Amino acid sequence: MNINLFRHLCVLLGLTIVLFTGIVQAQTNPIHPLFRVLDLNGVVVTESKAEFSANKTCGQCHDTTYINQHNSHFNTDVQLECVNCHLKDGKLDLATVRMEVDGTLVREDITIQSPTNNHCGQCHGIYHSGTTPLMLPDDFEQSPAGALTSLTGEILSSQKIADSYLNIRGKATLHYPWDIHLQRQVACVDCHTNPVQARNIKAATSGPNHLRNDPRQISTTERLQHPNHELVTIQCKTCHDPMVVHDQFPYKQRHLERLACQACHVPQLLGPAYQSVDQTVLTETGTAMIEYRSMENSRGTSLNARFIEGYTPYLFVQSDAVGDEKFSPFNVFTRWFWVSGSMKEPVSPEQLKPVFLENGTYRPSILSVFDQNKDGELTLKELRLDSDEKILFMKRQLQASGFENPEITGKLEVGKVHHGIVRGAGVARDCRFCHGEDSRMNREIKLASYLPGNVMPPMAESLTSQAELTVKTDGSLSLQRNLSGSGFYVLGTTKSRLVDRAGLLFLFLTCLVILGHGGYRFYSLKRYPPHHTNTSIVYMYTFYERLWHWTSALSILLLMFTGFEIHYSWNFSVLGIDRAVYLHNILAFIMIANAFLSLFYHLASAEIRQYFPRMKSFVTDTMAQIRYYTSGIFKGEPHPLQKTPDRKLNPLQQITYLVILNILLPTQVLTGLLMWGVERWPELSLAIGGLTWVAPIHTLCSWLFFSFVILHVYLTTTGHTVTSNIKAMIGGFDKVDVD
Amino acid sequence: MTQNKTKWVIATGILLTSVILLIPIFIFYPIQGTQKATSSFIRPVRTHLDHSAYFTEPFQTPQSVTKKCLECHPESARQFMKTSHWTWVGTHEEVIGNHKPMKVGKKNLLNNFCLSITDNWASCTKCHAGYGWKDESFDFSSEENVDCLSCHDWTGSYVKAGAGLPDASVDLQAVAKGVGYPRRDNCGTCHFYGGGGLAVKHGDMDDTLIYGSERDDVHMGKYDLLCVDCHRTQNHNIPGTAYSVSVTSRNGVDCIACHEGTHQDKRINTHIASLACQTCHIPKYAKKIPTKTDWDWSKAGDVSRKDDPHVYLRIKGEFIYGQDLTPEYYWFNMNVDRYLLGDLIKPETVTDINKPLGGIDDPNAKIWPFKVHRAIQPYDKKFNYFLPPTTSGKGGYWSDFDWQKALTLGAKASGIPFSGEFGFTQSAMYWPLSHMVGPKENALNCDDCHGENSRMDWNALGYEQDPIDVGGRNFQLKASVERRAQ
């Protein structure tokens, strides 16, 4: 009985402790030692009544000098204090916290913790948490967080997009979160961590097995005293192995090597993303004139009410952290601003305010110049520096405000996309997303609807070879993509105009010759009926020869068909580019195998002699054959050279096949193999200049093959009768003239 | 010699051919992972025979309809009379608390809605699938009293009134002509309106199900299932367990009858041992039609207040209704601890009428979503147990507005002593949610339960911390056992 009572009491006591620590845990840090709060001079604040100093207070134990020297958040631009990221509310408010007489902070108010998403979210763009629907803050355009978000349009929230307040196209179908990592409880500091932690993660996930627990780590004391605060970002691959999944991906290795993960996993961004920022003028709220590329641009409408289409980030090649050249997603936008003085220092919107605004409204002088229709309001089109009069006026105003030599400068900026990761159904899976002439890889990028002050921004250095700026007739500025400048050949998207035009011309000329020749043959048929001699039926083509011929014919025709679909996939889609490539590869191997088998047959049976010209009579025979095709055929003359099972080919055919089989076919096969081989042996094609060279040669060869096939089919009609050659190739028996 | 040469040529040819043919096979043999076949859904085939030719004469009494039915379906009434839809008690004896094994059910249990059916038969048995249960003397063995029509009516014109008899306006012949297998509205006439109005009792069943969209109920809205496609009925035994009147999962229906119960994502699968399917797949209940969450009987009888079915009724007291509600979560091992008539209560605390059993240390228990109905209902101040009042019955509270009289009559009818002193105390009833499963896109995600926006009260569920941080219940239990051992 007593023992039972004792047990019950113990359980009760235990429960109380658990409950108590549970309550305390939610608020405070139970293990951080108690400490006194000091001011800038190292005096306890309860004595001095001065402002507290984080450096001094935390510096009692932690080496704050070292931390500030090794801190990504402590430099010329930004100087954060310990409490900003490590206290629950981001600050220590002396008015509300409780302290002992000697200045010791009471346990309940020690809320020291690792930085949470909320801490990072205070500055790093729009971060939303909680179950209330996501909406943009009213001061979005004025706030630094808004400006950071607008570089790319990334919004960080674990909420499903469908649950937000924003007015997004097709919102109801967007059942995935703004960023999957946030939904899955991966916090900012899990990926943006300090170098020591990052090294430990790396060792545990991808380091050598015998170093999973590296003993050469800094001690706990060392870590507490000198924690390195230089944040590094761990790579996607640290946690994810892309080769394990992505099995449905054709050319998996190649894609994964050459595409940043975000290229497919951030298919669209729905937050406000800059298209152009015109800081040469100011709106009534004191912000620059901003055009967003992801949403409707209407001044005066709340961002939350505007219709959001979203945009697909633009892929440009950039070296990643390990130095691999990869297509990575970017936003590209323009910025114009005033510079002044000899150092050409930028004039910020804040400095521009007194020039434009007075008591929250435009100065009358501004209105008189900008307000063209004199309605007292400045519309989107009025509030821009598009005439010499306005520019001159602005320059004078700026000079009057103390800015020397004011000038307008333009800039092309890029914002790299890192967040906004989706998974599953939301991922860009359609091949035509990137493969095809009108795909995201090739689409022109609008940069601004006007050039403020008619100043053309210089090209951004990182994009120089991959795009060029063009001004359209309506005055808008856009970026034209130059995909071949990226060094990568994207099937169906990258095209050599020269090759395509030359090939098409060749094909056209071939057709023209055939039409002329055929037409004249048809015309002369009545004047010179065909010459008839005695004929006899001969077994011309053996079964294997016919089988080989038709296998070749079929595979070549299908190769041309699938190749055409790959090359022109954006407006010619029967199979889809992925299946077309797959089939094209299979057909190519069938064709190659067929060619080797026939080589073996021709060697083994000595039939290869058919292809060797007779040296003795070669010149005369060739001349005779040319004369026949250019004149004799129109006069109904007999073939100059007898076709026999021993000599099936005339000298012209022999020349053609020599060229095709020794130059065209090997080139076609080799370039094709190199293209197919980029998955496994990319260095092979790189050795001869990469696919940007190999692929156009392959395309040129296929144009030539195309022309050959047409010519070949036409020439089969020049036999004894129009169809006799084709019949012979089907049945094997041919009619030949008998002397 | 020549023969030898030919052999070599043929051999080389075959070798070369096979090598050339094998290369593409080897290279192109699909290295892609095999796509798992998605489980094909086959909608059950339902047969229907037009019965209109069988009923040529008008019927005078509902019993005569039943008799006519039994001419061709002689077994049906006997089958049906074994089920709880007829008996209103369970099929098996259950052991509850210290009581002797007994069959429990709607007939003899007390709840915290209309409290008890005893002495209020005529009004409660509107929903009884039988004719004439107006008092204790109802003959449960009379086959002709079985109500075939309430479950088989397709005309929509069949309305039941007091004691389960059809309303006088019903054209019995017309109804009989239009019989068929039970459809959603047949089940819905009772199950959607339990507690005296639409969606009062169940938060997860109301008449949005009849023509609901995919967002309301994926089974009915998208796949066009009927109630009986999951509650697969054989010999008139309709499986299914309502924990308001049952104490075990006997004769129950579960998701894994149709679903494999596993997901492609291993992380989700680790949840299956501790979470019911419903927990993630029913993130909200009472999506479109509000359900009753609070009922205060003590406020009844106030003449000065205006009647509004969703706020206050003089006969019933004060209510709170809620819409689009987040469930409450408790461990549940598919058994409940049932309050039986006469069980002692502690009037100063909330009494659980059907407390879900199980806890974090019960391997059979899973976290389930519940609608909890909280009420303030009459009890005997001296004897400390709930009292079943007579309400709709003769001399009951709904006509006389006299608690003393109503409780005396009710206690007498139920056979328990009433001291004469009564008060009102709090009670709670737990309704595990299983219906109105939304589309999978709306299922809960990690951050709905883990992290700062969690809807789970982990400490209340017995965890020391959010399991995403420190591990699941097995881990946490093991750790706490070790701590205790030390």
Side-chain angles (χ1 to χ4, degrees), chain A residues 18-19 22-23 25 117-118 127 129-131 158-160 172-173 175 177 182-185 247-250 423 582 585-586 589-590 592-594 596-597 600 604 676 679-681, chain B residues 8-10 12-14 16-17 20-21 23-24 27-35 215 265 267-268 440-448 450-453 459 464-466 468:
Chain A
V18 167
L19 205 68
I23 291 165
Q25 252 173 10
N117 292 354
N118 285 320
Y127 169 74
S129 120
T131 47
S158 61
Q159 194 169 69
K160 284 178 191 166
T173 61
H175 288 291
L182 288 169
Q183 190 193 55
R184 304 227 156 158
Q185 300 294 302
D247 275 346
Q248 306 299 321
F249 220 156
R423 68 177 289 280
Y582 190 69
N585 288 341
I586 291 176
F589 274 92
I590 291 174
I592 295 169
N594 195 38
F596 270 104
L597 285 173
F600 173 74
W676 167 78
E679 168 81 349
R680 284 154 209 242
W681 309 286
Chain B
W8 273 109
V9 168
I10 292 172
T12 322
I14 290 171
L16 202 66
T17 314
I20 288 171
L21 287 178
I23 287 172
I27 290 171
F28 287 108
Y29 190 78
I31 43 172
Q32 285 106 326
T34 45
Q35 177 105 43
R215 290 179 72 82
D265 195 319
R267 286 165 295 196
I268 300 177
K440 61 174 184 281
E441 295 84 21
N442 290 349
L444 291 185
N445 277 303
C446 315
D447 66 330
D448 286 306
H450 301 294
E452 53 182 335
N453 302 326
N459 292 336
E464 286 183 15
Q465 284 183 57
D466 185 341
I468 203 173

Side-chain angles (χ1 to χ4, degrees), chain A residues 296-367:
Chain A
E296 161 194 28
N297 285 302
S298 50
R299 256 188 77 204
T301 318
S302 155
L303 289 177
N304 287 308
R306 293 197 199 171
F307 182 60
I308 298 178
E309 293 252 18
Y311 81 102
T312 303
Y314 309 105
L315 296 187
F316 287 103
V317 174
Q318 206 201 37
S319 307
D320 69 358
V322 238
D324 283 341
E325 299 258 295
K326 284 185 173 179
F327 277 111
S328 309
F330 290 91
N331 178 31
V332 192
F333 63 95
T334 45
R335 194 192 288 277
W336 280 274
F337 48 94
W338 289 98
V339 291
S340 78
S342 51
M343 296 300 287
K344 295 200 183 294
E345 278 181 21
V347 180
S348 70
E350 203 53 42
Q351 289 170 305
L352 214 55
K353 244 184 193 171
V355 181
F356 270 85
L357 302 171
E358 191 180 46
N359 303 329
T361 50
Y362 285 116
R363 286 172 176 277
S365 54
I366 295 282
L367 274 182

Side-chain angles (χ1 to χ4, degrees), chain B residues 78-89 91 234-238:
Chain B
R78 274 196 292 281
Q79 288 171 352
F80 183 74
M81 285 158 72
K82 288 180 195 154
T83 72
S84 54
H85 275 97
W86 171 259
T87 58
W88 280 19
V89 286
T91 47
Q234 281 186 327
N235 300 332
H236 285 89
N237 171 33
I238 306 170

Side-chain angles (χ1 to χ4, degrees), chain A residues 427-452:
Chain A
V427 178
R429 285 166 194 276
D430 190 348
C431 304
R432 293 208 283 170
F433 204 52
C434 296
H435 295 279
E437 205 157 73
D438 67 342
S439 73
R440 68 190 295 206
M441 311 288 274
N442 239 6
R443 228 166 275 157
E444 83 170 38
I445 305 164
K446 195 178 175 191
L447 287 175
S449 42
Y450 61 98
L451 291 172

Side-chain angles (χ1 to χ4, degrees), chain A residues 160-353:
Chain A
K160 284 178 191 166
I161 297 171
D163 294 342
S164 76
Y165 259 137
L166 303 183
N167 187 11
I168 300 167
R169 172 196 281 274
K171 188 167 93 172
T173 61
L174 304 174
H175 288 291
Y176 48 82
W178 292 86
D179 190 292
I180 185 72
H181 288 110
L182 288 169
Q183 190 193 55
R184 304 227 156 158
Q185 300 294 302
V186 179
C188 305
V189 292
D190 292 334
C191 298
H192 302 283
T193 179
N194 68 51
V196 179
Q197 181 75 5
R199 201 188 67 182
N200 291 348
I201 296 172
K202 206 175 171 192
T205 51
S206 59
N209 272 334
H210 63 286
L211 285 182
R212 284 286 155 86
N213 190 11
D214 192 342
R216 296 165 295 179
Q217 289 175 7
I218 55 169
S219 68
T220 312
T221 322
E222 179 77 355
R223 201 150 148 192
L224 285 173
Q225 284 173 348
H226 308 291
N228 192 331
H229 277 62
E230 279 172 63
L231 295 191
V232 294
T233 302
I234 59 172
Q235 302 295 304
C236 306
K237 278 186 181 169
T238 312
C239 304
H240 302 280
D241 184 352
M243 291 305 284
V244 174
V245 280
H246 297 110
D247 275 346
Q248 306 299 321
F249 220 156
Y251 285 73
K252 174 166 140 180
Q253 179 118 19
R254 181 69 176 173
H255 277 111
L256 295 178
E257 271 172 5
R258 292 300 170 218
L259 286 172
C261 304
Q262 287 93 338
C264 302
H265 285 273
V266 188
Q268 64 170 352
L269 286 171
L270 298 164
Y274 288 147
Q275 179 169 288
S276 71
V277 184
D278 180 3
Q279 294 178 0
T280 59
V281 289
L282 281 190
T283 63
E284 243 170 341
T285 49
T287 54
M289 277 285 289
I290 296 168
E291 279 177 18
Y292 294 105
R293 67 168 69 259
S294 46
M295 55 165 65
E296 161 194 28
N297 285 302
S298 50
R299 256 188 77 204
T301 318
S302 155
L303 289 177
N304 287 308
R306 293 197 199 171
F307 182 60
I308 298 178
E309 293 252 18
Y311 81 102
T312 303
Y314 309 105
L315 296 187
F316 287 103
V317 174
Q318 206 201 37
S319 307
D320 69 358
V322 238
D324 283 341
E325 299 258 295
K326 284 185 173 179
F327 277 111
S328 309
F330 290 91
N331 178 31
V332 192
F333 63 95
T334 45
R335 194 192 288 277
W336 280 274
F337 48 94
W338 289 98
V339 291
S340 78
S342 51
M343 296 300 287
K344 295 200 183 294
E345 278 181 21
V347 180
S348 70
E350 203 53 42
Q351 289 170 305
L352 214 55
K353 244 184 193 171

